[in-house]
Amino acid sequence: MTRVLAKSQAHYRRALTRMPLGVASNFRFWGEDRTIYVKYGRGARIVDLDDNEYIDYRMGYGPAILGHADPRVDDAAREGMKVGGVFALSTEREYHVAQRISKMVPAAELVRFSNSGTEAVMAALRLARAYTGKDDYLILEGSYHGLFDAAMWYTPMDKWTQVGDPQVYPYSEGIPLSTRSFAHFVQANDANQLEDVLKRHASRVACLLIEPIMGNCLGIATDPGYLRAARELCDRHGVLLVIDEVKTGFRVARGGAQELYGVNADLCTFAKAMGNGYPISVLAGREEVMRKIGRGVAHGGTYTAHSVSLAAAERTLQILDETDALERIADYGTALRQGMSAILKSRGIAHSFVGHPSMSGLYFAHDPPRNYRDWKGSDYTFYDAAAKVLHDERVLCEPDSREPWFVCAAHDDACLKQTLAAFEVAIEKTLSTLGERRQAGG
Ligand SMILES: Cc1ncc(COP(=O)(O)O)c(C=O)c1O
């Protein structure tokens, strides 16, 4: 059945009169005719204003790990509501949630709460700078660590000619160019380059800020050997290793990427999956570093550890820690990969999957990418075209090929069957439209 978006389109025109782009976040604007508005979400599905029901693989960019509106978490949140919100004072539950986090993530010796991933990473960078007394930081090319100035540098690969290094631009207007000199960029999986940069700049570098599975860049995974080398090089050069687990945390393993790789951070950040969608995040880490907070380093915020989010996090983490939810999520992700792969293989389409099955990147080239520059070598225009057809077929993946497909515990066999049927249609339609366009020289 053809997808009708009449109500979303009408709402878009109304919303535009009061909100830039008619949405609450730039990433939610998908064009004048294709921006959709959600009526509600349940489990692995969301329903838009026109009553189109989609199988969701964006899951809010990762948070809804148990599924949208999981009743166990929502019940806990209601209990949290009874506590009363925020008081500019602490509550007992903070300690219990901190205890759970420390149990699941050994590197999280001490814990502080915030509201969003951005806030937690901002605090991590400030703390790393304060602890080391240095201002610069290293980040991986193609990484995303939130919407704050220090993290908002990007290398637009579409503009890169594949000769020399791609240029780095501010991700937005309004970012002072004078702050650019603090950031140094390294490529994922190149330990020699990392060593070289550290040898030259370590006296000025506070930390390496890294997402071992790049959740905003196809899900490109660093090799375990690379992450171990990064740990060792940071130690050797007096640089803190800050692992951003905003997406991987409590998802790729109970102890996040750090458990998966067997590497502990000095500081680590969590958000998304920890609250199943309720706004809460964490800065955690080694006691000696974390004790700087309150002894020279500021940290806080009016809404920090809100009683509703905190109660939701307590329940979500308990479920993730004590049930087989994460194993089921990974199994579904693996089955999804296998099903998609069979469809693509039967049509001779080169492809590979990257990252963890719970947050897979689908990449249209034979060998999986090892760094952001490899993305340039894939047929991403094919992905972009197929994603649009998938939306019409009621499968909601990210329209940008650099964002992985998120799986939640509510994705079930019915979702899988429906997704693969839609995927087959999308691939067929994309092949014929792009084939026609390419034949016509378009
Ligand atoms: C790795 C990483 N760090 C930080 C952030 C920022 O989190 P938030 O959007 O909650 O501010 C994101 C968001 O996608 C992320 O993926």
Side-chain angles (χ1 to χ4, degrees), residues 138-340:
L138 306 185
I139 41 181
L140 296 192
E141 205 170 86
S143 60
Y144 177 81
H145 295 286
L147 287 177
F148 66 107
D149 287 4
M152 290 171 71
W153 301 104
Y154 89 124
T155 37
M157 283 302 150
D158 5 16
K159 292 189 184 157
W160 183 48
T161 57
Q162 284 172 289
V163 181
D165 289 331
Q167 248 192 297
V168 176
Y169 296 86
Y171 189 59
S172 164
E173 291 179 22
I175 296 174
L177 282 176
S178 55
T179 60
R180 161 72 181 83
S181 60
F182 293 123
H184 303 261
F185 296 86
V186 288
Q187 286 191 64
N189 288 317
D190 187 345
N192 291 334
Q193 185 203 23
L194 179 61
E195 181 166 22
D196 183 51
V197 173
L198 282 172
K199 271 186 188 154
R200 284 189 285 131
H201 302 294
S203 63
R204 291 192 279 133
V205 172
C207 64
L208 165 65
L209 173 58
I210 185 171
E211 205 192 359
I213 299 171
M214 297 168 74
N216 302 276
C217 192
L218 294 161
I220 291 172
T222 54
D223 299 330
Y226 175 79
L227 202 63
R228 279 197 299 274
R231 173 72 276 177
E232 197 269 317
L233 286 167
C234 283
D235 288 342
R236 200 188 314 155
H237 291 277
V239 166
L240 295 188
L241 178 64
V242 179
I243 299 193
D244 181 355
E245 298 238 33
V246 163
K247 272 189 173 161
T248 53
F250 312 114
R251 168 174 284 278
V252 299
R254 286 174 180 76
Q258 294 173 85
E259 178 184 320
L260 206 64
Y261 283 80
V263 171
N264 285 347
D266 295 302
L267 292 174
C268 43
T269 51
F270 298 89
K272 311 232 181 207
M274 69 174 285
N276 202 51
Y278 287 89
I280 187 161
S281 65
V282 149
L283 162 65
R286 199 147 60 74
E287 174 162 5
E288 189 194 326
V289 185
M290 288 292 289
R291 290 276 180 219
K292 276 288 285 176
I293 294 177
R295 295 183 187 148
V297 173
H299 179 270
T302 305
Y303 298 104
T304 295
H306 190 288
S307 68
V308 172
S309 295
L310 198 63
E314 184 180 42
R315 187 75 176 110
T316 305
L317 291 172
Q318 184 198 20
I319 294 168
L320 295 175
D321 193 18
E322 295 177 9
T323 72
D324 64 351
L326 290 185
E327 285 74 17
R328 286 190 290 109
I329 289 170
D331 286 349
Y332 183 96
T334 304
L336 181 64
R337 282 182 179 190
Q338 285 166 350
M340 287 169 137

Side-chain angles (χ1 to χ4, degrees), residues 8 34 37 50 57 68 76 101 104 130 162-163 171 182 184 277 283 351 356 362 386 397 404 416 420:
S8 272
R34 297 185 73 90
Y37 293 86
D50 292 276
Y57 289 101
H68 296 295
I101 291 170
M104 295 171 83
Q162 284 172 289
V163 181
Y171 189 59
F182 293 123
H184 303 261
L283 162 65
H351 66 282
H356 189 266
L362 168 59
C397 59
L416 186 63
L420 293 178

